[in-house]
Amino acid sequence: MEEIKTYFEKLVPISDSDWHIFSSRLLKREFLKKEYIVTAGQKEKYLSFIEKGIVQFSIPASEDDLTFGFAFSGNFVSAYDFFLTQKPSGYHIKAITNTILWSISYEDLQYIYAETAIGNTIGRMASEALFLKKSKRELSLLTESAEQRYLNLFTEQPHLLQLIPLKYIASYIGITPQALSRIRKRIS
């Protein structure tokens, strides 16, 4: 839980009383490798902070699911569009590695907004982080080659890429596993 406090304190001071109210609403959830955090059709109940682990965002498909994102330790994770609307998710979120999340429910987050001085700032920071990640991904898909997307991912999280199956990475950058093998061979 200290990781999430440290994350917030880097951006904004948080009083002991606000932290106490906020932290009392956090739920620690642990997921094993390959376990689903949210499945398509399931309501997203939580906005979560990843203390440890890697998660994959994917759209169900008839053969292999289509990977469209990853989230790593020290970041927020949620099917956020469905969290906000409280409607069933249109995609899966799955633990790629054993994962520890600190989660807050939609109802508890509304309480935090109403009852603390810092609540709206915390909510805004979480939503801005998720928005920036989404925007970066969209721009990458529109302006960069698959090779550049792979290099960016490799540059940002080189030690973690060893933990993600290549078929997920290939799907994420929009190519086949065979094309990814050619890219990896060419740049090594």
Side-chain angles (χ1 to χ4, degrees):
M1 187 179 312
E2 284 303 309
E3 289 83 356
I4 192 169
K5 185 176 183 185
T6 301
Y7 177 90
F8 287 132
E9 287 180 334
K10 285 181 190 173
L11 304 170
V12 63
I14 186 167
S15 71
D16 288 342
S17 63
D18 280 355
W19 175 249
H20 176 71
I21 293 168
F22 180 74
S23 64
S24 72
R25 302 290 175 140
L26 291 174
L27 171 66
K28 183 177 183 180
R29 301 188 305 147
E30 298 185 40
F31 297 88
L32 298 174
K33 179 179 179 177
K34 297 185 179 183
E35 188 175 354
Y36 284 93
I37 297 166
V38 175
T39 58
Q42 177 185 9
K43 193 174 178 181
E44 173 60 280
K45 298 176 186 173
Y46 300 103
L47 172 61
S48 301
F49 184 83
I50 305 172
E51 177 181 307
K52 174 186 157 204
I54 304 170
V55 302
Q56 170 202 28
F57 295 81
S58 65
I59 297 169
S62 57
E63 291 183 24
D64 285 329
D65 290 350
L66 303 171
T67 300
F68 69 91
F70 299 105
F72 303 96
S73 299
N75 289 287
F76 287 95
V77 63
S78 178
Y80 194 61
D81 40 353
F82 297 101
F83 175 77
L84 292 175
T85 61
Q86 288 295 281
K87 294 185 178 178
S89 176
Y91 49 87
H92 303 307
I93 302 176
K94 181 171 71 172
I96 299 289
T97 63
N98 291 344
T99 300
I100 299 172
L101 302 179
W102 288 98
S103 303
I104 190 163
S105 72
Y106 181 84
E107 294 78 15
D108 283 341
L109 187 59
Q110 302 313 306
Y111 175 84
I112 298 297
Y113 288 163
E115 298 299 321
T116 65
I118 198 74
N120 284 313
T121 302
I122 289 172
R124 190 187 81 235
M125 290 176 3
S127 64
E128 286 173 354
L130 291 167
F131 172 78
L132 290 172
K133 183 175 180 161
K134 180 178 172 46
S135 293
K136 181 179 177 183
R137 170 76 174 139
E138 289 171 354
L139 286 172
S140 173
L141 287 169
L142 293 170
T143 62
E144 298 173 340
S145 67
E147 183 170 325
Q148 187 60 52
R149 286 192 298 275
Y150 174 74
L151 289 171
N152 290 346
L153 189 60
F154 190 76
T155 301
E156 292 167 8
Q157 302 289 340
H159 61 290
L160 298 177
L161 277 182
Q162 299 166 2
L163 303 172
I164 301 173
L166 290 178
K167 69 179 185 174
Y168 296 158
I169 294 171
S171 178
Y172 174 73
I173 62 176
I175 60 176
T176 65
Q178 296 79 8
L180 178 58
S181 291
R182 289 191 294 274
I183 288 171
R184 289 167 47 96
K185 187 175 185 179
R186 186 169 52 247
I187 64 174
S188 62

